[in-house]
Amino acid sequence: GEDVEQSLFLSVREGDSSVINCTYTDSSSTYLYWYKQEPGAGLQLLTYIFSNMDMKQDQRLTVLLNKKDKHLSLRIADTQTGDSAIYFCAESSRIDAGNMLTFGGGTRLMVKP
Amino acid sequence: ETGVTQTPRHLVMGMTNKKSLKCEQHLGHNAMYWYKQSAKKPLELMFVYSLEERVENNSVPSRFSPECPNSSHLFLHLHTLQPEDSALYLCASSQGGGAGNTIYFGEGSWLTVV
């Protein structure tokens, strides 16, 4: 089946940039997503990118997609302590009118003051 | 507020109990999902309903029984669960045909089976 892989942990200092990486195996992926999960909460959609795009920027977030290498990254500029959370990469496969996401295991971002 | 509301937020049940998780979406979407998040595995898709019909069932045990009475409501009926079913159950919704069919998640229901 399809696989989505992420490193487990990332630690950065407040004000630095964070880069969270993700690799996937399904070459037919149409959309790729980044979700954020804070402790005790559900998943919050951060951003998504179409598979025909290389880059998408949204305020402090930059998503880079290398479709050839099946590599997705999320860069958070000027990382704040409030960015500490688990970040999930996901890729989608359409089924009928719905959407089926395959998630990575999540990367825990710790931001040190 | 994500537009997807789940109740209860926390549930403790015995292995012989019957309980239900409820989800309601206020986004006008036509597809709803149940995902399971446990400590040792990535998020797993359990069920997908599109236009109130079940589209996908990833061979989830029959002790989990979904119900989708209309496009805004989704239930997960639980009976004779096992301790390993303790997890965070996330409901989600999306609008078919829209750009990216972006999925929006609820806050989740924490289930503990004792």
Side-chain angles (χ1 to χ4, degrees):
Chain A
E2 293 81 14
D3 256 339
V4 180
E5 300 282 344
Q6 298 178 240
S7 54
L8 286 177
F9 190 76
L10 176 66
S11 178
V12 300
R13 294 216 170 268
E14 190 173 20
D16 289 349
S17 291
S18 309
V19 180
I20 303 171
N21 294 301
C22 171
T23 58
Y24 59 97
T25 57
D26 187 356
S27 57
S28 66
S29 297
T30 50
Y31 305 101
L32 297 121
Y33 301 79
W34 285 104
Y35 283 86
K36 175 184 180 183
Q37 185 177 36
E38 296 180 359
L43 272 68
Q44 173 195 353
L45 175 66
L46 286 179
T47 186
Y48 66 90
I49 189 169
F50 297 170
S51 59
N52 61 358
M53 295 170 64
D54 298 323
M55 185 182 89
K56 180 178 180 181
Q57 186 152 4
D58 183 1
Q59 298 182 341
R60 292 191 297 123
L61 305 178
T62 303
V63 178
L64 294 177
L65 175 61
N66 182 328
K67 196 173 179 182
K68 174 175 170 289
D69 294 339
K70 301 190 187 66
H71 182 267
L72 183 73
S73 67
L74 174 69
R75 179 176 181 269
I76 306 173
D78 187 25
T79 313
Q80 303 297 307
T81 54
D83 295 323
S84 294
I86 302 175
Y87 290 80
F88 291 91
C89 168
E91 62 89 21
S92 77
S93 306
R94 287 273 311 265
I95 45 171
D96 293 340
N99 192 0
M100 185 171 75
L101 293 182
T102 301
F103 283 87
T107 299
R108 183 178 295 275
L109 175 64
M110 179 183 289
V111 182
K112 299 178 182 176
Chain B
E1 175 62 46
T2 65
V4 181
T5 305
Q6 290 187 239
T7 55
R9 293 294 315 278
H10 299 271
L11 177 63
V12 179
M13 59 186 290
M15 289 190 283
T16 58
N17 291 159
K18 287 186 181 181
K19 297 285 184 183
S20 296
L21 305 180
K22 178 183 175 183
C23 177
E24 183 174 0
Q25 58 96 1
H26 312 276
L27 300 169
H29 289 164
N30 61 8
M32 296 188 77
Y33 311 78
W34 281 115
Y35 278 84
K36 176 183 178 183
Q37 186 180 25
S38 53
K40 297 182 180 179
K41 292 184 180 180
L43 277 147
E44 300 173 82
L45 176 65
M46 299 177 72
F47 301 104
V48 181
Y49 276 84
S50 177
L51 301 173
E52 302 159 40
E53 290 191 11
R54 191 156 73 194
V55 173
E56 180 78 9
N57 175 352
N58 287 333
S59 301
V60 175
S62 59
R63 56 186 183 268
F64 295 92
S65 173
E67 179 190 359
C68 187
N70 55 61
S71 60
S72 299
H73 294 86
L74 183 66
F75 296 89
L76 187 63
H77 303 300
L78 316 168
H79 63 98
T80 60
L81 294 192
Q82 304 298 309
E84 61 264 29
D85 297 321
S86 299
L88 177 66
Y89 289 85
L90 290 160
C91 175
S93 70
S94 71
Q95 179 59 37
N101 291 327
T102 304
I103 291 183
Y104 295 89
F105 285 84
E107 294 286 298
S109 294
W110 286 97
L111 173 67
T112 303
V113 181
V114 296

